[in-house]
Amino acid sequence: MPQAKATSRIFLGALAALLCAPVLAATTVVTADRMLDVLAGRMVDKPAVVVVDGRIRAVLAQGDAAIPKDAGRIDLSGQTLLPGLVDMHVHLASDATIDGYRELDYTDAFWVAVGVANARAMLEAGFTTVRNVGSRGYADVGIKQAVDAGYVPGPRIVPATYALGSTGGHCDGTEGLPPSFAPVATPSVADGPEGFRKLVRTVHKYGAEVIKICATGGVLSRTDAPGAQQMSFEEIKAAVDEAHRLGLKVAAHAHGLSGINDCLRAGCDTIEHASLANEESFALAKAHGAWFSMDIYDDDYILAEGRKNGMFEESLAKERAIGLKQRQTFRAAYAAGVKMIFGTDNGGVFPAGQNALQFATMVQWGMPPLEAIRAATRNAAQALGREGDVGAIEVGRYGDFVAVQGDPLQDVRLLEHPTAVIKGGERVK
Ligand SMILES: [Zn+2]
């Protein structure tokens, strides 16, 4: 009997292979004039990338005999192909044009609908993967599920769910409201190491794939100071240890120096904003292998549009005090050799889909175009721990691409106007 069983299993296996392989395998060949190999740091002429069932099967030269003849074709002649971009700091379920108390005009589910629109805008802007570092009500998990199931278009989403922080801190959802308005139980606020341990476990239970903590004050919250530390070292450490035990990385919102340095000592994987970091922070980041995710474009938008959007006067004053300093820190951190990823705060701070505006700011403040592009591809994939999936045009990774007209290493602003976007081998723009 065991032999008969084994035989029938082999037969079924062969039958399944026969039925499935030729029928289900969707093969697409993407061709362009040039391709940016972000791993090698060079342009490749006349590439032909073969994508089978959503993943890259081969990276060939045009005319290669191994290119499948009967495959679908995406011909991007005259264009430059790059890996799909990754934004490591977005807020899908936010609207940058609705700030301050104006947010109270809307019911909770409104923000999920906003998130659906924002997901599409970011995808069509060439961002085929986004890390969503904070939204309420598990909106990002729901949007991710709807995108993955094909209900709505959107990038690959790495959800953090709630951003976790202390009572009255930057990520306390009812900060800025009187006591009688608050606190509805939300899994975003805790005090003490055990409290943070429990929050990490809770958001992980409900779909978080990365943990976001708020270690210092922020700009868009009304009542706190960006430089002020809002989680103790012990609280940060508890959150990090618990997250790492669960296999999750930790993104730490930190503007102020002591908060940044405690986050680095506690093992946070990415420092968001990093505005007031100094030489000691740079050394700690390098020693611990942490990444800086610095949203240095935002200052332009906040100072130009913030008041019109209803942003708190307090927030505008904080931005004026910290915006330029953050850009100077960015330049110094990059020069010191701190590893950088591309994170913008898009969706939350400036309109969804304008993510690529930050490339030019990064170049203006000292980063060569290739490194700015790597921050949004190769480096982002490393910081996510998903080098097998995204961040480069390489065999095995998803067939995610963005194309531009011209050479983005000469003019990084070309990324603001992608001519084509492909996700999993399917053209979405
Ligand atoms: Zn943010």
Side-chain angles (χ1 to χ4, degrees), residues 198-232:
K198 170 106 181 178
L199 285 188
V200 169
R201 289 174 178 171
T202 304
V203 295
H204 171 252
K205 175 182 175 184
Y206 294 121
E209 295 176 31
V210 60
I211 296 299
K212 165 82 177 295
I213 60 169
C214 297
T216 75
V219 172
L220 298 197
S221 39
R222 188 169 72 88
T223 59
D224 58 1
Q229 187 164 345
Q230 294 181 339
M231 288 173 67
S232 68

mmCIF file of all heavy atoms in Angstrom, residues 198-232:
data_model
loop_
_atom_site.group_PDB
_atom_site.id
_atom_site.type_symbol
_atom_site.label_atom_id
_atom_site.label_comp_id
_atom_site.label_asym_id
_atom_site.label_seq_id
_atom_site.Cartn_x
_atom_site.Cartn_y
_atom_site.Cartn_z
ATOM 1 N N LYS A 198 2.935 44.927 25.955
ATOM 2 C CA LYS A 198 1.559 44.508 25.654
ATOM 3 C C LYS A 198 1.066 45.167 24.356
ATOM 4 O O LYS A 198 0.407 44.523 23.530
ATOM 5 C CB LYS A 198 0.661 44.897 26.828
ATOM 6 C CG LYS A 198 -0.818 44.753 26.555
ATOM 7 C CD LYS A 198 -1.404 43.577 27.260
ATOM 8 C CE LYS A 198 -2.891 43.467 26.918
ATOM 9 N NZ LYS A 198 -3.539 42.362 27.498
ATOM 10 N N LEU A 199 1.393 46.440 24.156
ATOM 11 C CA LEU A 199 0.960 47.112 22.919
ATOM 12 C C LEU A 199 1.563 46.437 21.690
ATOM 13 O O LEU A 199 0.883 46.241 20.680
ATOM 14 C CB LEU A 199 1.391 48.587 22.918
ATOM 15 C CG LEU A 199 0.648 49.575 23.790
ATOM 16 C CD1 LEU A 199 1.112 50.992 23.467
ATOM 17 C CD2 LEU A 199 -0.862 49.469 23.585
ATOM 18 N N VAL A 200 2.850 46.118 21.781
ATOM 19 C CA VAL A 200 3.504 45.460 20.639
ATOM 20 C C VAL A 200 2.805 44.140 20.336
ATOM 21 O O VAL A 200 2.495 43.826 19.179
ATOM 22 C CB VAL A 200 5.008 45.240 20.928
ATOM 23 C CG1 VAL A 200 5.625 44.324 19.880
ATOM 24 C CG2 VAL A 200 5.735 46.576 20.978
ATOM 25 N N ARG A 201 2.532 43.386 21.376
ATOM 26 C CA ARG A 201 1.856 42.095 21.169
ATOM 27 C C ARG A 201 0.468 42.309 20.570
ATOM 28 O O ARG A 201 0.016 41.546 19.718
ATOM 29 C CB ARG A 201 1.737 41.348 22.498
ATOM 30 C CG ARG A 201 3.087 40.849 22.978
ATOM 31 C CD ARG A 201 2.988 40.229 24.356
ATOM 32 N NE ARG A 201 4.289 39.710 24.781
ATOM 33 C CZ ARG A 201 4.551 39.273 26.000
ATOM 34 N NH1 ARG A 201 3.606 39.302 26.933
ATOM 35 N NH2 ARG A 201 5.746 38.812 26.300
ATOM 36 N N THR A 202 -0.200 43.343 21.019
ATOM 37 C CA THR A 202 -1.569 43.583 20.550
ATOM 38 C C THR A 202 -1.600 43.960 19.069
ATOM 39 O O THR A 202 -2.356 43.385 18.293
ATOM 40 C CB THR A 202 -2.225 44.705 21.385
ATOM 41 O OG1 THR A 202 -2.172 44.337 22.757
ATOM 42 C CG2 THR A 202 -3.666 44.927 20.967
ATOM 43 N N VAL A 203 -0.753 44.912 18.674
ATOM 44 C CA VAL A 203 -0.820 45.319 17.257
ATOM 45 C C VAL A 203 -0.278 44.218 16.350
ATOM 46 O O VAL A 203 -0.744 44.042 15.225
ATOM 47 C CB VAL A 203 -0.110 46.678 16.994
ATOM 48 C CG1 VAL A 203 -0.836 47.797 17.727
ATOM 49 C CG2 VAL A 203 1.358 46.640 17.328
ATOM 50 N N HIS A 204 0.671 43.448 16.858
ATOM 51 C CA HIS A 204 1.138 42.286 16.088
ATOM 52 C C HIS A 204 -0.007 41.297 15.889
ATOM 53 O O HIS A 204 -0.217 40.770 14.791
ATOM 54 C CB HIS A 204 2.311 41.620 16.821
ATOM 55 C CG HIS A 204 2.724 40.309 16.220
ATOM 56 N ND1 HIS A 204 2.469 39.096 16.817
ATOM 57 C CD2 HIS A 204 3.350 40.023 15.049
ATOM 58 C CE1 HIS A 204 2.927 38.123 16.038
ATOM 59 N NE2 HIS A 204 3.467 38.655 14.970
ATOM 60 N N LYS A 205 -0.759 41.080 16.942
ATOM 61 C CA LYS A 205 -1.902 40.166 16.864
ATOM 62 C C LYS A 205 -2.849 40.567 15.742
ATOM 63 O O LYS A 205 -3.414 39.727 15.048
ATOM 64 C CB LYS A 205 -2.635 40.191 18.214
ATOM 65 C CG LYS A 205 -3.924 39.394 18.281
ATOM 66 C CD LYS A 205 -4.553 39.547 19.668
ATOM 67 C CE LYS A 205 -5.910 38.865 19.745
ATOM 68 N NZ LYS A 205 -6.549 39.105 21.059
ATOM 69 N N TYR A 206 -3.011 41.880 15.531
ATOM 70 C CA TYR A 206 -4.000 42.360 14.567
ATOM 71 C C TYR A 206 -3.388 42.821 13.242
ATOM 72 O O TYR A 206 -4.020 43.555 12.489
ATOM 73 C CB TYR A 206 -4.843 43.465 15.192
ATOM 74 C CG TYR A 206 -5.692 42.942 16.335
ATOM 75 C CD1 TYR A 206 -5.568 43.477 17.622
ATOM 76 C CD2 TYR A 206 -6.585 41.897 16.136
ATOM 77 C CE1 TYR A 206 -6.330 42.991 18.671
ATOM 78 C CE2 TYR A 206 -7.341 41.390 17.184
ATOM 79 C CZ TYR A 206 -7.211 41.943 18.448
ATOM 80 O OH TYR A 206 -7.958 41.448 19.476
ATOM 81 N N GLY A 207 -2.148 42.397 12.982
ATOM 82 C CA GLY A 207 -1.658 42.591 11.613
ATOM 83 C C GLY A 207 -0.438 43.470 11.423
ATOM 84 O O GLY A 207 0.008 43.638 10.287
ATOM 85 N N ALA A 208 0.137 44.036 12.490
ATOM 86 C CA ALA A 208 1.331 44.863 12.304
ATOM 87 C C ALA A 208 2.485 44.009 11.796
ATOM 88 O O ALA A 208 2.741 42.927 12.330
ATOM 89 C CB ALA A 208 1.723 45.543 13.613
ATOM 90 N N GLU A 209 3.174 44.492 10.766
ATOM 91 C CA GLU A 209 4.353 43.798 10.235
ATOM 92 C C GLU A 209 5.620 44.590 10.532
ATOM 93 O O GLU A 209 6.717 44.200 10.142
ATOM 94 C CB GLU A 209 4.199 43.566 8.725
ATOM 95 C CG GLU A 209 3.048 42.626 8.422
ATOM 96 C CD GLU A 209 2.804 42.433 6.937
ATOM 97 O OE1 GLU A 209 3.771 42.505 6.158
ATOM 98 O OE2 GLU A 209 1.643 42.242 6.553
ATOM 99 N N VAL A 210 5.459 45.738 11.154
ATOM 100 C CA VAL A 210 6.573 46.532 11.649
ATOM 101 C C VAL A 210 5.994 47.288 12.845
ATOM 102 O O VAL A 210 4.784 47.527 12.898
ATOM 103 C CB VAL A 210 7.115 47.497 10.563
ATOM 104 C CG1 VAL A 210 6.037 48.459 10.091
ATOM 105 C CG2 VAL A 210 8.324 48.281 11.054
ATOM 106 N N ILE A 211 6.838 47.609 13.815
ATOM 107 C CA ILE A 211 6.368 48.351 14.988
ATOM 108 C C ILE A 211 6.860 49.787 14.884
ATOM 109 O O ILE A 211 8.026 50.047 14.634
ATOM 110 C CB ILE A 211 6.885 47.703 16.293
ATOM 111 C CG1 ILE A 211 6.310 46.288 16.447
ATOM 112 C CG2 ILE A 211 6.549 48.582 17.502
ATOM 113 C CD1 ILE A 211 4.791 46.204 16.526
ATOM 114 N N LYS A 212 5.922 50.718 15.050
ATOM 115 C CA LYS A 212 6.282 52.143 15.055
ATOM 116 C C LYS A 212 6.113 52.665 16.470
ATOM 117 O O LYS A 212 5.044 52.512 17.070
ATOM 118 C CB LYS A 212 5.341 52.905 14.102
ATOM 119 C CG LYS A 212 5.335 54.429 14.264
ATOM 120 C CD LYS A 212 6.477 55.100 13.551
ATOM 121 C CE LYS A 212 6.419 56.625 13.664
ATOM 122 N NZ LYS A 212 5.271 57.257 13.004
ATOM 123 N N ILE A 213 7.172 53.266 16.996
ATOM 124 C CA ILE A 213 7.054 53.909 18.309
ATOM 125 C C ILE A 213 7.352 55.401 18.168
ATOM 126 O O ILE A 213 8.018 55.828 17.221
ATOM 127 C CB ILE A 213 8.007 53.280 19.356
ATOM 128 C CG1 ILE A 213 9.471 53.416 18.922
ATOM 129 C CG2 ILE A 213 7.654 51.827 19.615
ATOM 130 C CD1 ILE A 213 10.464 53.065 20.016
ATOM 131 N N CYS A 214 6.839 56.163 19.103
ATOM 132 C CA CYS A 214 7.057 57.615 19.092
ATOM 133 C C CYS A 214 7.883 57.965 20.326
ATOM 134 O O CYS A 214 7.354 58.126 21.422
ATOM 135 C CB CYS A 214 5.719 58.339 19.097
ATOM 136 S SG CYS A 214 4.769 57.959 17.605
ATOM 137 N N ALA A 215 9.169 58.086 20.133
ATOM 138 C CA ALA A 215 10.092 58.230 21.265
ATOM 139 C C ALA A 215 10.258 59.670 21.713
ATOM 140 O O ALA A 215 10.734 59.922 22.823
ATOM 141 C CB ALA A 215 11.446 57.638 20.893
ATOM 142 N N THR A 216 9.897 60.608 20.840
ATOM 143 C CA THR A 216 10.015 62.028 21.211
ATOM 144 C C THR A 216 8.773 62.772 20.735
ATOM 145 O O THR A 216 7.934 62.212 20.037
ATOM 146 C CB THR A 216 11.237 62.706 20.547
ATOM 147 O OG1 THR A 216 10.948 62.940 19.165
ATOM 148 C CG2 THR A 216 12.502 61.860 20.670
ATOM 149 N N GLY A 217 8.712 64.038 21.077
ATOM 150 C CA GLY A 217 7.636 64.880 20.574
ATOM 151 C C GLY A 217 7.730 65.018 19.058
ATOM 152 O O GLY A 217 8.680 64.553 18.421
ATOM 153 N N GLY A 218 6.703 65.682 18.504
ATOM 154 C CA GLY A 218 6.668 65.819 17.055
ATOM 155 C C GLY A 218 6.225 67.205 16.636
ATOM 156 O O GLY A 218 6.006 68.089 17.468
ATOM 157 N N VAL A 219 6.085 67.367 15.337
ATOM 158 C CA VAL A 219 5.740 68.670 14.777
ATOM 159 C C VAL A 219 4.228 68.847 14.656
ATOM 160 O O VAL A 219 3.669 69.868 15.042
ATOM 161 C CB VAL A 219 6.428 68.862 13.400
ATOM 162 C CG1 VAL A 219 5.931 70.127 12.711
ATOM 163 C CG2 VAL A 219 7.944 68.908 13.575
ATOM 164 N N LEU A 220 3.540 67.824 14.139
ATOM 165 C CA LEU A 220 2.113 68.001 13.860
ATOM 166 C C LEU A 220 1.215 67.809 15.078
ATOM 167 O O LEU A 220 0.047 68.175 15.052
ATOM 168 C CB LEU A 220 1.669 67.074 12.722
ATOM 169 C CG LEU A 220 2.364 67.325 11.371
ATOM 170 C CD1 LEU A 220 1.582 66.675 10.239
ATOM 171 C CD2 LEU A 220 2.564 68.801 11.069
ATOM 172 N N SER A 221 1.753 67.244 16.146
ATOM 173 C CA SER A 221 0.999 67.229 17.398
ATOM 174 C C SER A 221 1.030 68.654 17.945
ATOM 175 O O SER A 221 1.943 69.417 17.643
ATOM 176 C CB SER A 221 1.632 66.239 18.384
ATOM 177 O OG SER A 221 3.050 66.298 18.316
ATOM 178 N N ARG A 222 0.024 69.015 18.760
ATOM 179 C CA ARG A 222 -0.098 70.423 19.122
ATOM 180 C C ARG A 222 0.714 70.806 20.350
ATOM 181 O O ARG A 222 1.282 71.895 20.413
ATOM 182 C CB ARG A 222 -1.579 70.766 19.364
ATOM 183 C CG ARG A 222 -1.835 72.264 19.556
ATOM 184 C CD ARG A 222 -3.316 72.590 19.518
ATOM 185 N NE ARG A 222 -4.021 72.133 20.696
ATOM 186 C CZ ARG A 222 -4.152 72.833 21.821
ATOM 187 N NH1 ARG A 222 -3.626 74.044 21.916
ATOM 188 N NH2 ARG A 222 -4.798 72.355 22.841
ATOM 189 N N THR A 223 0.752 69.890 21.345
ATOM 190 C CA THR A 223 1.159 70.342 22.677
ATOM 191 C C THR A 223 2.574 69.988 23.087
ATOM 192 O O THR A 223 3.000 70.346 24.178
ATOM 193 C CB THR A 223 0.212 69.738 23.732
ATOM 194 O OG1 THR A 223 0.288 68.305 23.633
ATOM 195 C CG2 THR A 223 -1.212 70.175 23.511
ATOM 196 N N ASP A 224 3.315 69.269 22.257
ATOM 197 C CA ASP A 224 4.618 68.803 22.752
ATOM 198 C C ASP A 224 5.779 69.450 22.000
ATOM 199 O O ASP A 224 5.602 70.120 20.995
ATOM 200 C CB ASP A 224 4.714 67.269 22.664
ATOM 201 C CG ASP A 224 4.510 66.763 21.247
ATOM 202 O OD1 ASP A 224 4.318 67.575 20.320
ATOM 203 O OD2 ASP A 224 4.535 65.534 21.060
ATOM 204 N N ALA A 225 6.979 69.224 22.511
ATOM 205 C CA ALA A 225 8.187 69.766 21.884
ATOM 206 C C ALA A 225 8.903 68.644 21.146
ATOM 207 O O ALA A 225 9.104 67.565 21.711
ATOM 208 C CB ALA A 225 9.106 70.353 22.949
ATOM 209 N N PRO A 226 9.284 68.872 19.880
ATOM 210 C CA PRO A 226 9.934 67.799 19.109
ATOM 211 C C PRO A 226 11.182 67.255 19.803
ATOM 212 O O PRO A 226 11.483 66.077 19.711
ATOM 213 C CB PRO A 226 10.309 68.479 17.792
ATOM 214 C CG PRO A 226 9.408 69.657 17.681
ATOM 215 C CD PRO A 226 9.112 70.094 19.083
ATOM 216 N N GLY A 227 11.878 68.152 20.515
ATOM 217 C CA GLY A 227 13.124 67.714 21.144
ATOM 218 C C GLY A 227 12.919 66.874 22.389
ATOM 219 O O GLY A 227 13.840 66.209 22.864
ATOM 220 N N ALA A 228 11.710 66.899 22.960
ATOM 221 C CA ALA A 228 11.476 66.236 24.243
ATOM 222 C C ALA A 228 11.362 64.730 24.087
ATOM 223 O O ALA A 228 10.632 64.233 23.228
ATOM 224 C CB ALA A 228 10.198 66.787 24.873
ATOM 225 N N GLN A 229 12.064 64.010 24.941
ATOM 226 C CA GLN A 229 11.952 62.553 24.927
ATOM 227 C C GLN A 229 10.642 62.156 25.610
ATOM 228 O O GLN A 229 10.320 62.668 26.678
ATOM 229 C CB GLN A 229 13.156 61.927 25.649
ATOM 230 C CG GLN A 229 13.191 60.413 25.530
ATOM 231 C CD GLN A 229 14.545 59.821 25.884
ATOM 232 O OE1 GLN A 229 15.543 60.534 25.964
ATOM 233 N NE2 GLN A 229 14.574 58.507 26.087
ATOM 234 N N GLN A 230 9.886 61.244 24.983
ATOM 235 C CA GLN A 230 8.569 60.876 25.524
ATOM 236 C C GLN A 230 8.456 59.412 25.911
ATOM 237 O O GLN A 230 7.416 58.981 26.398
ATOM 238 C CB GLN A 230 7.479 61.224 24.499
ATOM 239 C CG GLN A 230 7.341 62.725 24.273
ATOM 240 C CD GLN A 230 6.249 63.056 23.281
ATOM 241 O OE1 GLN A 230 5.858 62.220 22.476
ATOM 242 N NE2 GLN A 230 5.749 64.292 23.337
ATOM 243 N N MET A 231 9.494 58.638 25.620
ATOM 244 C CA MET A 231 9.538 57.259 26.110
ATOM 245 C C MET A 231 10.897 57.091 26.797
ATOM 246 O O MET A 231 11.914 57.558 26.288
ATOM 247 C CB MET A 231 9.422 56.244 24.959
ATOM 248 C CG MET A 231 8.026 56.164 24.340
ATOM 249 S SD MET A 231 7.967 55.096 22.855
ATOM 250 C CE MET A 231 8.292 53.475 23.546
ATOM 251 N N SER A 232 10.873 56.421 27.947
ATOM 252 C CA SER A 232 12.140 56.179 28.643
ATOM 253 C C SER A 232 12.930 55.109 27.894
ATOM 254 O O SER A 232 12.372 54.366 27.070
ATOM 255 C CB SER A 232 11.853 55.692 30.067
ATOM 256 O OG SER A 232 11.266 54.397 30.007
#
